[in-house]
Amino acid sequence: EMLRSVTESENLVLVEVTFEGSAAKATVTYRNGRSETIETDSDSMNKFLRCPLSFYYENVLKVPVMASDAANYGAAMHNALRKGFEKMAASREKLFPPAETFARFFEAELRRMQSFFSKKEYQQRLEMGRQHLTEFCLQNIRKWPIVVRVEQEFKNVEIDGVPITGIIDRIDFHGEAQTVHIVDYKTGSH
């Protein structure tokens, strides 16, 4: 299946998007005849379907876009969990830090992003994040495996003919059961 969009910008003439299963490629053709192909993901394709010009600016020109409050909150939560797992992996005893340490990691991460929030939104996210992360850790910390990989990047992987590229938040290795669990952190609409 192919979608086309003609966008009047100073250089861009045409964007064609080809879908192959869940993968997509965008071919961008410029007025000077030059073209380039961009492999992209489903979020980018949804952006293309909503607004081809937005896709062009964000995915082709790489114009920075300010993240939403929810996205910044999710990033702070994600980074706090990553740091907690990294701290465990670096320890000789392979012990997780207490839930309070995960909460402190979250606070530090959110503080780094404080300028992206209103004062009220920052306070709400800070309190909500402390509570949610502490509860999450207390419920799960005894169940978490100690053989893990965090932020595992993969490129040029092909599954059933579909190219896949990205970063896996966490890979849990369960030796006794000889299984691997892929973990993708989501904070939902919080």
Side-chain angles (χ1 to χ4, degrees):
E1 182 181 344
M2 183 167 58
L3 296 173
R4 287 182 163 196
S5 173
V6 177
T7 306
E8 289 301 321
S9 115
E10 53 187 67
N11 293 318
L12 180 68
V13 175
L14 177 69
V15 176
E16 292 181 342
V17 179
T18 307
F19 296 94
E20 298 172 12
S22 62
K25 291 183 181 181
T27 303
V28 181
T29 306
Y30 299 91
R31 288 192 195 281
N32 65 7
R34 185 177 69 85
S35 64
E36 64 181 306
T37 300
I38 302 168
E39 290 188 22
T40 189
D41 59 18
S42 59
D43 289 341
S44 297
M45 286 302 91
N46 287 331
K47 188 182 305 163
F48 176 82
L49 293 171
R50 279 191 310 273
C51 179
L53 192 57
S54 175
F55 173 87
Y56 173 66
Y57 280 107
E58 293 175 35
N59 295 80
V60 177
L61 297 180
K62 306 285 189 205
V63 173
V65 177
M66 191 164 155
S68 68
D69 289 347
N72 286 322
Y73 172 82
M77 191 68 71
H78 175 102
N79 290 333
L81 286 162
R82 176 186 49 80
K83 286 181 177 185
F85 273 85
E86 288 173 344
K87 188 168 180 69
M88 176 279 299
S91 73
R92 201 171 34 159
E93 303 83 16
K94 300 298 181 222
L95 295 175
F96 284 99
E100 298 77 28
T101 301
F102 280 89
R104 281 197 306 278
F105 289 152
F106 170 78
E107 291 168 9
E109 288 297 318
L110 200 67
R111 195 175 313 112
R112 280 186 333 99
M113 301 175 196
Q114 188 171 0
S115 64
F116 298 111
F117 295 94
S118 69
K119 192 171 190 169
K120 180 181 175 183
E121 184 68 25
Y122 175 77
Q123 274 309 124
Q124 288 174 337
R125 298 279 181 180
L126 183 61
E127 290 170 22
M128 182 172 58
R130 283 181 190 141
Q131 177 187 349
H132 288 168
L133 187 56
T134 300
E135 289 172 5
F136 180 74
C137 289
L138 291 174
Q139 289 173 5
N140 294 287
I141 206 162
R142 287 176 173 56
K143 298 182 259 183
W144 286 333
I146 59 170
V147 181
V148 297
R149 296 278 190 274
V150 292
E151 299 297 310
Q152 190 68 49
E153 186 174 356
F154 56 98
K155 293 181 180 180
N156 304 320
V157 175
E158 195 172 298
I159 298 175
D160 293 332
V162 177
I164 299 176
T165 301
I167 298 174
I168 297 173
D169 293 341
R170 195 176 86 221
I171 303 173
D172 296 349
F173 297 91
H174 301 275
E176 316 80 52
Q178 295 185 342
T179 61
V180 174
H181 292 162
I182 306 295
V183 179
D184 185 39
Y185 300 129
K186 297 293 179 203
T187 54
S189 58
H190 292 294

